[in-house]
Each structure stands twice: as structure tokens, then as C-alpha cells.
Amino acid sequence: MSTLMNHKSLQFHLESGDYFGTLATTLDLLRQDLFTNEEGKSFLEQKVKELEYLQNKYKINKK
């Protein structure tokens, strides 16, 4: 995927307010598919929870 497509996708998620939710979902899929040890799972589970909290409580504003 080109950098331009990545930026367009990122911009879409930012404008629709679901950036953190999308990132949390992506990390959760990685946790399910790639990590088999408990330390890796625990780390990603915590990051998913943090991102879900941010998604529910905050909105990104362009500087």
C-alpha cells in the first residue's frame, strides 16, 4: 500500500472520529493472531483498553 493511501486512510479515520477504535481493533487482531506468549498478550490487551478509553473520552483536533 502506498504512503498516499495510508495518509488518505488515516485522514478518513480522523475525520470520522474512529481513529482510536480502528487502531484498537487492529491491535486486538494482532494479539489474537500473532502473539502466543502471555506477556505479549497482556501488553496488547492493555494497549487496546487504553485506546478504547481514548476513543470514548477524547477527540483529535488538528493543530
Side-chain angles (χ1 to χ4, degrees):
M1 184 179 290
S2 72
T3 302
L4 180 59
M5 290 300 289
N6 288 334
H7 290 299
K8 284 183 179 180
S9 177
L10 177 60
Q11 187 65 35
F12 170 79
H13 289 294
L14 290 172
E15 289 174 359
S16 57
D18 71 346
Y19 176 73
F20 292 121
T22 300
L23 186 54
T25 299
T26 302
L27 289 174
D28 195 40
L29 290 171
L30 278 171
R31 178 191 60 80
Q32 292 173 34
D33 291 340
L34 298 177
F35 288 89
T36 57
N37 67 53
E38 288 303 312
E39 186 176 320
K41 280 183 177 179
S42 178
F43 175 78
L44 281 178
E45 286 171 348
Q46 181 60 39
K47 295 304 157 196
V48 167
K49 288 178 186 175
E50 290 171 8
L51 290 167
E52 288 171 342
Y53 173 81
L54 291 173
Q55 174 70 23
N56 291 326
K57 302 287 184 181
Y58 294 90
K59 181 177 180 178
I60 294 176
N61 292 314
K62 187 175 180 180
K63 290 182 180 182

